[in-house]
Coordinates of all heavy atoms in Angstrom, one line a residue:
F1 N 120.7 102.3 126.2 CA 122.1 102.6 125.7 C 122.2 103.7 124.7 O 123.0 104.7 125.0 CB 122.7 101.2 125.0 CG 124.0 101.6 124.3 CD1 125.2 101.8 125.1 CD2 124.1 101.5 123.0 CE1 126.4 101.8 124.5 CE2 125.4 101.7 122.4 CZ 126.5 101.9 123.1
F2 N 121.3 103.7 123.7 CA 121.4 104.7 122.6 C 120.9 106.1 123.2 O 121.4 107.2 122.8 CB 120.6 104.4 121.5 CG 121.4 103.4 120.5 CD1 120.8 102.1 120.3 CD2 122.6 103.7 120.0 CE1 121.4 101.3 119.5 CE2 123.3 102.7 119.2 CZ 122.6 101.4 119.0
A3 N 120.0 106.1 124.2 CA 119.5 107.3 124.9 C 120.7 107.9 125.6 O 120.9 109.1 125.6 CB 118.4 107.0 125.7
S4 N 121.4 107.0 126.3 CA 122.6 107.6 127.1 C 123.7 108.1 126.2 O 124.3 109.1 126.5 CB 123.1 106.5 128.1 OG 123.5 105.3 127.4
V5 N 123.9 107.4 125.1 CA 125.0 107.9 124.2 C 124.5 109.2 123.7 O 125.4 110.2 123.4 CB 125.2 106.9 123.0 CG1 126.0 107.4 121.9 CG2 125.7 105.6 123.6
C6 N 123.2 109.4 123.4 CA 122.7 110.6 122.8 C 122.9 111.8 123.8 O 123.3 113.0 123.4 CB 121.1 110.6 122.5 SG 120.5 111.9 121.6
I7 N 122.7 111.6 125.1 CA 122.9 112.5 126.1 C 124.5 112.9 126.2 O 124.8 114.1 126.3 CB 122.5 112.0 127.4 CG1 121.0 111.8 127.4 CG2 122.9 112.9 128.6 CD1 120.4 110.9 128.5
V8 N 125.3 111.9 126.0 CA 126.7 112.3 126.0 C 127.0 113.2 124.8 O 127.8 114.1 124.9 CB 127.5 111.0 126.0 CG1 129.0 111.3 125.7 CG2 127.4 110.1 127.2
L9 N 126.4 112.9 123.8 CA 126.7 113.7 122.5 C 126.3 115.1 122.7 O 126.9 116.1 122.3 CB 126.0 113.1 121.3 CG 126.6 111.7 120.7 CD1 125.8 111.3 119.5 CD2 128.0 111.9 120.3
L10 N 125.1 115.3 123.3 CA 124.7 116.6 123.7 C 125.6 117.3 124.7 O 125.6 118.6 124.6 CB 123.2 116.5 124.4 CG 122.1 116.1 123.4 CD1 120.8 115.9 124.3 CD2 121.9 117.1 122.3
S11 N 126.2 116.6 125.5 CA 127.2 117.2 126.4 C 128.5 117.7 125.7 O 129.0 118.7 126.0 CB 127.6 116.2 127.5 OG 126.6 115.8 128.2
V12 N 128.9 116.9 124.6 CA 130.1 117.2 124.0 C 129.9 118.3 122.9 O 130.8 119.1 122.6 CB 130.6 115.8 123.3 CG1 131.7 116.2 122.4 CG2 131.1 114.9 124.4
L13 N 128.7 118.3 122.4 CA 128.4 119.2 121.2 C 128.9 120.7 121.5 O 129.5 121.3 120.7 CB 127.0 119.2 120.8 CG 126.6 119.8 119.5 CD1 127.3 119.1 118.4 CD2 125.1 119.7 119.3
P14 N 128.6 121.3 122.6 CA 129.0 122.7 122.9 C 130.5 122.9 122.8 O 130.9 124.1 122.7 CB 128.4 122.9 124.3 CG 127.2 122.1 124.5 CD 127.7 120.7 123.8
T15 N 131.3 121.8 123.1 CA 132.7 122.1 123.1 C 133.2 122.4 121.7 O 134.4 122.7 121.7 CB 133.3 120.8 123.7 OG1 133.3 119.6 122.8 CG2 132.9 120.5 125.2
F16 N 132.4 122.2 120.7 CA 132.8 122.6 119.3 C 133.2 124.0 119.2 O 134.0 124.5 118.5 CB 131.7 122.1 118.3 CG 131.8 120.8 117.9 CD1 132.2 119.7 118.8 CD2 131.4 120.3 116.6 CE1 132.2 118.5 118.3 CE2 131.5 119.1 116.1 CZ 131.7 118.2 117.0
L17 N 132.6 124.9 120.2 CA 133.0 126.3 120.2 C 134.4 126.5 120.6 O 135.0 127.5 120.1 CB 132.1 127.0 121.3 CG 130.6 127.1 121.0 CD1 129.9 127.7 122.2 CD2 130.4 127.9 119.8
Y18 N 135.1 125.5 121.2 CA 136.5 125.5 121.6 C 137.3 125.6 120.3 O 138.4 126.2 120.2 CB 136.8 124.5 122.4 CG 136.1 124.5 123.9 CD1 136.3 123.2 124.7 CD2 135.5 125.6 124.4 CE1 135.6 123.3 125.8 CE2 134.9 125.5 125.5 CZ 134.9 124.3 126.4 OH 134.3 124.3 127.6
I19 N 136.9 124.8 119.3 CA 137.6 124.8 118.0 C 137.7 126.2 117.4 O 138.8 126.5 116.9 CB 136.9 123.8 117.0 CG1 136.8 122.5 117.7 CG2 137.7 123.8 115.7 CD1 136.1 121.3 116.7
I20 N 136.6 127.0 117.4 CA 136.6 128.3 116.9 C 137.6 129.1 117.7 O 138.4 130.0 117.0 CB 135.3 128.9 117.0 CG1 134.2 128.1 116.1 CG2 135.2 130.3 116.3 CD1 132.8 128.4 116.2
C21 N 137.5 129.0 119.0 CA 138.5 129.8 119.8 C 139.9 129.4 119.6 O 140.7 130.4 119.4 CB 138.1 129.6 121.3 SG 136.5 130.1 121.8
V22 N 140.2 128.2 119.5 CA 141.6 127.8 119.4 C 142.1 128.2 117.8 O 143.2 128.6 117.7 CB 141.8 126.3 119.6 CG1 143.2 125.8 119.2 CG2 141.5 126.1 121.0
Y23 N 141.1 128.1 117.0 CA 141.5 128.5 115.5 C 141.9 129.9 115.4 O 142.8 130.2 114.8 CB 140.1 128.3 114.9 CG 140.4 128.6 113.3 CD1 140.6 127.5 112.4 CD2 140.1 129.8 112.7 CE1 140.7 127.7 111.1 CE2 140.2 130.0 111.4 CZ 140.6 129.0 110.5 OH 140.7 129.2 109.2
Q24 N 141.2 130.8 116.2 CA 141.6 132.2 116.3 C 142.9 132.4 117.0 O 143.6 133.5 116.8 CB 140.4 132.9 116.9 CG 139.2 133.1 116.2 CD 139.2 133.6 114.8 OE1 140.0 134.7 114.6 NE2 138.7 133.0 113.8
L25 N 143.3 131.6 117.9 CA 144.5 131.8 118.7 C 145.8 131.3 117.9 O 146.9 131.5 118.4 CB 144.4 130.9 120.1 CG 143.4 131.6 121.2 CD1 143.3 130.5 122.2 CD2 143.9 132.9 121.6
G26 N 145.6 130.7 116.9 CA 146.6 130.1 116.0 C 147.6 131.2 115.5 O 147.0 132.3 115.3
S27 N 148.8 130.9 115.3 CA 149.7 131.9 114.7 C 150.4 131.4 113.5 O 151.4 130.5 113.7 CB 150.7 132.3 115.7 OG 151.6 133.4 115.1

């Protein structure tokens, strides 16, 4: 179970880059 959760976290982690992108798009 925890191994599969860890894999899911690894999948989600790169999407943190989207925060930077949207941060720059703010007005």
Side-chain angles (χ1 to χ4, degrees):
F1 169 72
F2 286 120
S4 60
V5 171
C6 187
I7 295 164
V8 171
L9 292 176
L10 291 175
S11 302
V12 171
L13 194 60
T15 65
F16 276 34
L17 292 173
Y18 298 163
I19 300 176
I20 299 174
C21 296
V22 174
Y23 184 91
Q24 295 297 320
L25 291 173
S27 180

